Amino acid sequence: MTASYSGDAHNQATTSAPVIVTVNPAQVLMVPVCGPSSLVSGNSYGCIAALVYDLGLVNGTLTYSLDGAPTVQVPVDFGLALFAINKPSVGTHHLVINFPAQGNFAAAAPQTETFTVTKSK
């Protein structure tokens, strides 16, 4: 970037030396709240993730993967992403939630949630 002055009757025209301006993506904080940590078979496991940065709320796309399966995309609107795992199978599950770098936002640290589904009585 440079600045230029066109001059006037008392001062000559001049241009500044170039200045390099680096704009880094905004750092994103992701805070998921999921639950319940233990549920009975036939119920769903739900999550809400809040995503913020220094100046406000994030928009974009969050992804999650259940037990290493292919990722699922979830829209982030006004800093919130909502999703549910519909009737997961019996056993212990690991859910990895990511907000990859996109647009003006840096990637958020991935979060792993663990929950257990038990047989119904």
Side-chain angles (χ1 to χ4, degrees), residues 23-78:
V23 178
N24 293 316
Q27 295 297 311
V28 174
L29 173 64
M30 177 176 63
V31 180
V33 177
C34 301
S37 61
S38 179
L39 61 143
V40 175
S41 178
N43 291 302
S44 296
Y45 180 78
C47 289
I48 181 170
L51 294 107
V52 297
Y53 72 110
D54 288 347
L55 299 176
L57 304 173
V58 174
N59 289 310
T61 303
L62 170 147
T63 64
Y64 72 84
S65 174
L66 180 64
D67 299 328
T71 59
V72 176
Q73 294 186 342
V74 178
V76 177
D77 293 312
F78 302 107

